[in-house]
Amino acid sequence: MAATLRRGLLPSETEYIATETTEIEIVPRLTFDRVRLLGGIYGPFRPPAKTKVPLWLAVNLRSKKKCDIVPPEWLTVGG
């Protein structure tokens, strides 16, 4: 029996790609130097200065109450 090829991405694959490649701005709540992770080096984190990080890192820091996420322009309601 031949293997069936599927078209497109699964929702979980789309989510993975989005969280790995999307960078957003955050405002850190704590001061700390650069952070070296597998995906790169991020920081320094000095409030109230904004810094860009991948979406997955922003969500992780936000869940630990270590930053506030700045909504991107395309997400804000315009008049």
Side-chain angles (χ1 to χ4, degrees):
M1 180 177 272
T4 304
L5 297 176
R6 63 180 177 156
R7 288 198 158 144
L9 298 171
L10 295 173
S12 59
E13 293 168 328
T14 305
E15 179 183 11
Y16 174 78
I17 292 169
T19 57
E20 288 296 314
T21 60
T22 303
E23 281 199 341
I24 62 169
E25 286 187 319
I26 62 167
V27 177
R29 292 184 179 180
L30 303 171
T31 299
F32 47 102
D33 290 326
R34 295 177 188 253
V35 177
R36 182 184 302 263
L37 302 171
L38 288 175
I41 300 172
Y42 307 102
F45 301 92
R46 305 219 189 312
K50 297 176 184 175
T51 187
K52 284 191 175 187
V53 297
L55 180 59
W56 65 266
L57 181 55
V59 170
N60 184 281
L61 292 172
R62 175 65 181 103
S63 71
K64 296 175 182 178
K65 300 185 192 275
K66 292 187 177 182
C67 79
D68 292 313
I69 296 176
V70 178
E73 281 187 36
W74 56 266
L75 189 60
T76 57
V77 178

